[in-house]
Amino acid sequence: MNKLFALLGLFLFVCTLASCGENGAEKSAPAPEAEKPGGLIVVGFSQVGAESTWRMANTKSMKDTFTEKKGYKLIIRDAQQKQERQVAAIRDFIRQRVNFIVLAPVTEHGWDEVLQEAASASIPVIIMDRMIQIRDEALFVSWVGSDFRKEGDVAVAWMGKTFTGKKDLKIAHMQGTIGSSAQIGRSEGLREGVAGNAGWTIVLSASGEFTQVNGKEVMERFLSERRDIDVLYCENDNMAFGAIQALHEANVPYGAQGGVQIISFDATRAGLEQTLARNISFNVECNPLHGPRVEKIIRQLQSGQIPAKVEHVDERAFDAATISKEEILSRAY
Ligand code: AHR
């Protein structure tokens, strides 16, 4: 009976792939486990880059999961934050006929053509971390990542509580890579918060590309324009570290004890240390440990099951009162 269900699942998955073809190319089921030399399952992973501590933890999670010891060959391509490099990497994976493609997309748009090519080659594509916007959702089997919009809403709810009664709240908005789901969701949350709170104004806005270097540079620019900032809404920890450096060097007070209140995202170990030290006032978690989650999807596909199309990760948020030193030390990223 179990075998029957497994076969049925595999049949449905093959049908899903077959239905996504626009050019009528013939398709078959994904390559079975033992088809590759040495019996290894070959996973081609197109990674955004190495722009942040989060990203490096994410790459490590994939490396730690997809080991040869466990029967995998993991091929990683670092796109250095450039979509065209990701497209080239996927085409290369198709040429190599990998068993699975894992894509952590830099931005949401522009994937239709290359994912159609992967579908035509019958290679299942799993999307990890950021989401994609695509005409035909059958071109990827599953997505696992964070609910970035919810992260923004959590930060805005904290602002609402913290600044109740404040008539005039000046917000500097440091965005991540424009067009990435992490930027879109977190920025949307803030925009909606501003629309719903008379007196809240975004007075400065620029992208720091999720890096510490750009975070510092953008903050220096902000400070050269004005210094009467109440809140810095900073879309990741590394940019917040750069902003802290700039504030410190410019002698502008910041932190939970007074001055510019910094809100950050990721809650990496270093980010939580800054939160405990009250330099960052509020930090919303974004979990990068997706390796085992992606592996679960691959296992499901191999046993003919249909994985969930969308899986959000549970996440928390912290201020200095809600974290302990022990928790920071035990953090894996
Ligand atoms: O997509 C997740 C985001 O990308 C993280 O918040 C950021 O640090 C990373 O670069």
Side-chain angles (χ1 to χ4, degrees), residues 48 50-55 81 105 129-130 146 148 151 177 180-183 186 209-211 235-238 265-266 268 286:
V48 169
E51 75 283 5
S52 64
T53 310
W54 188 101
R55 187 65 54 198
Q81 302 239 64
D129 168 30
R130 301 171 186 175
S146 301
F148 299 108
E151 291 176 357
T177 303
S180 67
S181 309
Q183 176 272 315
R186 293 167 189 169
E209 297 286 345
F210 287 127
T211 72
E235 291 181 359
N236 88 341
D237 276 349
N238 292 82
F265 295 84
D266 284 356
T268 56
C286 182

